[in-house]
Amino acid sequence: AIPLSVDDRVVMVQIEQIIAVEVFENELTVYTPEKNYRLRGQLKKMTERINDGNFVQISKNTVINLNHLDSLEAAFSGNMTAFLTDDLKFSVSRKYLSDLKKQLGM
């Protein structure tokens, strides 16, 4: 499990429960099936803390857990959309697509 500092509490979250992590400015959103946690932080540091080999960055702002990836669909201009657990969907930018494919063994 990983401790997340959310508001005035420290919440323990199982890494395998994390579906994705998204950053907007200095705020991270950690998506899990139970709830989404918002906390301050940097995507790079969070990724280093949770990376058990199942997480891959799919855009400048988003890291996903491959164990929660349901499907990939082609989108506009060479991008793809990743569909994950809980009907979450994120855009995969072209820059990160080859890494994602490599991780998936494509």
Side-chain angles (χ1 to χ4, degrees):
I2 180 174
L4 300 179
S5 303
V6 180
D7 300 325
D8 300 331
R9 299 185 313 148
V10 173
V11 185
M12 297 304 290
V13 175
Q14 298 297 323
I15 290 177
E16 60 273 11
Q17 288 287 303
I18 297 173
I19 302 168
V21 182
E22 191 173 35
V23 68
F24 181 71
E25 290 170 0
N26 289 328
E27 188 177 68
L28 293 172
T29 303
V30 177
Y31 295 91
T32 73
E34 285 78 50
K35 61 182 292 199
N36 301 334
Y37 300 95
R38 289 181 181 274
L39 57 148
R40 296 183 67 75
Q42 296 173 307
L43 189 61
K44 186 176 187 303
K45 290 203 171 119
M46 176 59 79
T47 306
E48 286 166 4
R49 285 173 64 199
I50 60 175
N51 203 351
D52 56 3
N54 294 313
F55 288 85
V56 64
Q57 189 157 357
I58 59 164
S59 70
K60 204 173 72 166
N61 304 331
T62 313
V63 170
I64 62 168
N65 183 342
L66 294 177
N67 292 330
H68 286 279
L69 179 63
D70 289 332
S71 63
L72 288 168
E73 209 170 275
F76 305 107
S77 68
N79 290 1
M80 293 193 92
T81 302
F83 293 88
L84 294 104
T85 306
D86 278 6
D87 294 327
L88 287 172
K89 60 182 194 187
F90 297 101
S91 187
V92 181
S93 65
R94 234 182 348 199
K95 181 180 166 195
Y96 294 95
L97 191 56
S98 61
D99 282 353
L100 175 60
K101 287 183 167 173
K102 202 185 310 174
Q103 285 276 89
L104 294 171
M106 291 168 68

